[in-house]
Amino acid sequence: MELFFIDHNMKRLLLILTSVAMLASCSKKAETFSVIPMPNDVTFLRGAVSVKGAAVEIDPSIDKESRAAVGRFVQALETATGVKTKADGDGFDFKLNPNLGPEQYYIEIEDNDIKVEASALNGFVYACETLKQMLPAAIYGNKKAKADWVLPCVKIFDEPRFDYRGMHLDCSRHFWTIEETKRYIDVMTAYKLNTLHWHLTDDQGWRIEIKSYPRLTEVGAWRDGTCIGNDLDSNDGIRYGGFYTQAQLREVIAYAAERGITVIPEVDLPGHMVAALAAYPELGCTGGPYKVWGRWGIAPDILCAGNEEVFDFLEGVLSEVMDIFPSEYIHIGGDECFDPWKKDAVYPWDLCPKCAARMRQLGIKQGPEAKHSLQNYVTARVQKFVNSKGRKIIGWDEILEGELAEGATVMSWRGIEGGIKAAAKGFDAIMTPYTFLYFDYFQSRERDKEPVGIGGYLPLENVYSYEPLDGITPGAEDHILGVQANLWTEYIPSNEHLEYMLLPRMCALSEIQWCNRDKKNYTRFDASLGHTFEILDAMGVNYSLDCRGLIGLDRKPARNAAELADYMEKNKVNW
Ligand code: ACM
Ligand code: ZN
């Protein structure tokens, strides 16, 4: 009896000691777990599983696209570890689980097995990205690396908070090559974004080949020069431009689609159209001549709303755009037709006989609202055309001024009010407020150390603090489809600078888009950034270290994580 008692107590003691050790090891694991965006449901288990030369089994019922995504993960693992995977034995087991939603995934790593389940491409892509972020950062590189190739034992069930998780790219003000655009998509993939909003046309350059209007790229894709720095009246006299052929656009769309990313094209209308007017001056109220703009700001010249040829033009352009881009949504712009800082200015629409005739025909009363009513007419007509092709429109929040036809989605950029108003009126909305999500804004207050920029102040922590449902009328929350950050490129001439503005702010964006409210935690996010910087180094992507006090593009002394860690150690700066 006594013996049994001792034995029983010893067992209990052992159990307690083991549990304490397990808890300590699990909480240490939780501390070092640095996946961004943080998965929504993680259980930390004891131990780790080696993945070097592990087996990979892929359920044959998984669709071709998802198998290709898993294949890219396996390829990255083999390259980084320098060891081929095997067909059988302990290791990865990728399984189709039709009970999961298209963006959900499940990972269970235990007893030398790594079970991965999803039902569709996006789920498999996100599972692979989570696995990659749990491994040494070298998995994002393209060479063999010496590292501890193990995965921690965990169970993860994960799904995004918002369906629409976007990042915008302006390729009009400055032009990005196909390779640079694909790299942009690669970082979006790493952080589980699913929509690229491609701003393809603007006053400073038309970037999309339209076969029925060839002058759009022959003339509209090129400007004679660009203003220098903040001096809008200067000009460097250097011809600048470029455009994407339809084949190149399709290549980017396919590349994104393989990674679960939809590309939404934007043809900004009826404003921001000077490049098109330079190509086809008859589409403007005055007939021109116009020149592709070499300065930044809001151009007074826009498409004439009274000329039927303009609608033929828009329908012709949008038909080709819809033929190239399979996205459910087509973005038709609608912003800044009139300068909000020049309320009393006289615009071509005020003076144009064709626009006046259109207003009379529509019964629009003269007055300060007349212009907005005429813009409503243009929006509604284009929306009808886009809808007739089975697609839906998105427009900047100016489209809400006046009447807006049912079925339009509003992109709230002038703060959060547009989104609040749209949702309350029953329209879907995407939140992109400049107050939190304009990545062309400065990241530090020490502007003298930063490259020339548009202004503003948007450090990483402010981005992270954004809560998309704040202020939304109770009951209208479901109209908020999701969140996007915008990256306008007037002041961003190089890819190095583009990536510097994008990262790590896009990582903060990813947690706004993905993480449930209770999973967001800036301290935990901040502690994960060291690993993210290593990942970006491995990818060869630039990023800002303003959040670590190393301000500016030329962030000396470090250009890679090892040098940076050394610098930080010596200077007592934390990751
Ligand atoms: C915008 O920033 N003009 C939408
Ligand atoms: Zn006109």
Side-chain angles (χ1 to χ4, degrees):
M1 180 68 189
E2 198 170 35
L3 250 183
F4 169 80
F5 184 72
I6 290 169
D7 189 38
H8 179 74
N9 266 350
M10 275 182 69
K11 263 193 193 156
R12 277 191 56 177
L13 186 66
L14 266 175
L15 201 69
I16 291 167
L17 287 175
T18 324
S19 307
V20 169
M22 252 178 86
L23 270 178
S25 109
C26 290
S27 71
K28 186 160 177 342
K29 199 174 274 177
E31 271 169 33
T32 54
F33 186 84
S34 45
V35 175
I36 295 176
M38 180 66 168
N40 278 308
D41 187 349
V42 187
T43 308
F44 295 99
L45 307 170
R46 196 151 170 262
V49 174
S50 170
V51 296
K52 201 167 166 173
V56 177
E57 272 188 61
I58 305 176
D59 185 343
S61 53
I62 295 174
D63 66 83
K64 195 164 115 255
E65 290 74 21
S66 303
R67 272 187 281 131
V70 172
R72 284 194 300 275
F73 165 73
V74 174
Q75 177 70 58
L77 185 69
E78 291 182 345
T79 304
T81 59
V83 179
K84 283 259 174 248
T85 54
K86 306 184 292 236
D88 337 275
D90 289 339
F92 294 91
D93 189 6
F94 289 90
K95 276 222 160 336
L96 182 76
N97 180 346
N99 296 322
L100 294 174
E103 294 207 299
Q104 295 177 327
Y105 68 92
Y106 178 69
I107 296 175
E108 189 181 297
I109 307 175
E110 207 174 11
D111 302 333
N112 292 329
D113 278 325
I114 303 145
K115 220 185 272 170
V116 182
E117 295 178 3
S119 69
L121 173 67
N122 288 48
F124 281 107
V125 168
Y126 305 148
C128 291
E129 292 304 324
T130 294
L131 290 171
K132 281 168 79 179
Q133 287 203 26
M134 285 196 282
L135 286 167
I139 184 107
Y140 285 90
N142 53 13
K143 51 181 188 288
K144 181 178 165 184
K146 247 189 139 111
D148 203 7
W149 290 107
V150 295
L151 278 168
C153 290
V154 281
K155 279 187 194 172
I156 298 176
F157 169 71
D158 204 9
E159 62 180 338
R161 180 179 177 199
F162 290 103
D163 289 344
Y164 183 106
R165 302 184 304 283
M167 187 65 226
H168 154 287
L169 176 61
D170 168 9
C171 62
S172 171
R173 277 55 178 269
H174 284 99
F175 180 71
W176 314 106
T177 64
I178 294 293
E179 284 320 305
E180 288 163 346
T181 309
K182 285 185 180 171
R183 235 147 70 113
Y184 202 82
I185 290 169
D186 289 342
V187 277
M188 288 175 60
T189 309
Y191 296 95
K192 303 187 174 81
L193 278 73
N194 66 2
T195 309
L196 172 65
H197 167 178
W198 210 0
H199 185 80
L200 288 158
T201 67
D202 215 306
D203 302 314
Q204 295 82 359
W206 183 282
R207 306 280 173 235
I208 166 171
E209 178 191 27
I210 299 293
K211 295 199 168 146
S212 53
Y213 290 92
R215 285 174 59 81
L216 285 172
T217 44
E218 286 163 11
V219 175
W222 308 95
R223 58 184 184 247
D224 288 342
T226 305
C227 58
I228 303 162
N230 287 119
D231 182 359
L232 297 183
D233 295 323
S234 64
N235 194 297
D236 63 12
I238 302 167
R239 184 171 152 87
Y240 182 94
F243 68 93
Y244 309 113
T245 64
Q246 296 196 355
Q248 286 174 319
L249 293 163
R250 288 196 167 94
E251 181 186 329
V252 171
I253 293 162
Y255 185 86
E258 284 163 13
R259 287 152 184 80
I261 294 176
T262 301
V263 184
I264 297 183
E266 180 184 351
V267 175
D268 203 345
L269 65 98
H272 288 286
M273 268 283 175
V274 174
L277 292 179
Y280 296 99
E282 63 275 20
L283 303 177
C285 291
T286 64
Y290 307 98
K291 278 180 75 169
V292 179
W293 245 29
R295 54 171 295 163
W296 321 129
I298 301 174
D301 289 306
I302 66 177
L303 293 175
C304 176
N307 180 353
E308 276 307 299
E309 256 186 76
V310 165
F311 294 94
D312 295 341
F313 166 78
L314 290 175
E315 291 183 8
V317 167
L318 288 168
S319 293
E320 290 194 38
V321 166
M322 286 188 272
D323 191 42
I324 303 163
F325 290 85
S327 56
E328 179 186 9
Y329 292 99
I330 302 294
H331 200 306
I332 62 162
D335 60 322
E336 299 178 325
C337 288
F338 318 104
D339 192 334
W341 306 107
K342 296 181 189 157
K343 288 231 184 287
D344 299 326
V346 175
Y347 290 91
W349 275 15
D350 296 313
L351 304 173
C352 167
K354 288 192 198 124
C355 285
R358 177 77 76 196
M359 289 199 228
R360 273 197 307 279
Q361 175 205 353
L362 296 170
I364 295 173
K365 288 200 193 69
Q366 284 188 350
E369 291 310 309
K371 286 195 284 293
H372 301 294
S373 302
L374 191 55
Q375 186 181 345
N376 282 158
Y377 165 77
V378 176
T379 305
R381 198 162 155 181
V382 172
Q383 180 180 5
K384 206 163 161 193
F385 178 73
V386 170
N387 291 165
S388 76
K389 305 284 177 199
R391 313 292 183 94
K392 298 181 184 166
I393 63 154
I394 300 178
W396 298 110
D397 59 31
E398 284 93 333
I399 65 170
L400 256 184
E401 284 164 23
E403 287 302 309
L404 180 61
E406 199 183 318
T409 295
V410 174
M411 206 164 244
S412 184
W413 73 276
R414 294 175 300 176
I416 60 173
E417 292 73 21
I420 295 172
K421 202 165 134 192
K425 285 183 160 187
F427 292 102
D428 286 343
I430 295 160
M431 303 305 289
T432 74
Y434 73 87
T435 35
F436 293 96
L437 297 173
Y438 265 41
F439 289 178
D440 52 341
Y441 283 12
F442 286 110
Q443 303 175 71
S444 101
R445 290 218 188 269
E446 294 180 60
R447 288 191 182 181
D448 55 326
K449 293 189 187 161
E450 294 277 20
V452 176
I454 196 163
Y457 175 59
L458 186 61
L460 186 64
E461 211 166 341
N462 290 22
V463 174
Y464 196 86
S465 70
Y466 177 54
E467 167 44 51
L469 297 186
D470 273 356
I472 304 299
T473 313
E477 293 93 343
D478 285 353
H479 282 300
I480 304 302
L481 303 183
V483 186
Q484 171 179 294
N486 297 335
L487 190 35
W488 302 102
T489 60
E490 286 95 331
Y491 293 88
I492 303 177
S494 72
N495 191 244
E496 184 194 22
H497 188 178
L498 183 80
E499 292 172 348
Y500 171 88
M501 302 307 272
L502 182 72
L503 296 157
R505 290 188 287 195
M506 198 198 76
C507 304
L509 168 72
S510 79
E511 293 224 341
I512 300 168
Q513 297 168 326
W514 188 278
C515 298
N516 295 334
R517 274 181 192 219
D518 65 336
K519 276 287 167 291
K520 272 184 77 195
N521 176 327
Y522 191 75
T523 309
R524 188 261 311 142
F525 170 78
D526 186 74
S528 300
L529 285 177
H531 185 53
T532 266
F533 295 145
E534 287 172 356
I535 290 172
L536 298 172
D537 283 333
M539 292 174 86
V541 171
N542 195 27
Y543 51 90
S544 161
L545 278 170
D546 283 23
C547 65
R548 294 292 181 267
L550 293 177
I551 297 160
L553 255 184
D554 190 23
R555 55 180 163 81
K556 294 279 189 258
R559 289 231 64 89
N560 66 55
E563 278 176 43
L564 177 65
D566 185 47
Y567 171 85
M568 292 197 160
E569 174 80 20
K570 287 192 184 117
N571 291 279
K572 310 241 171 309
V573 184
N574 289 323
W575 267 117

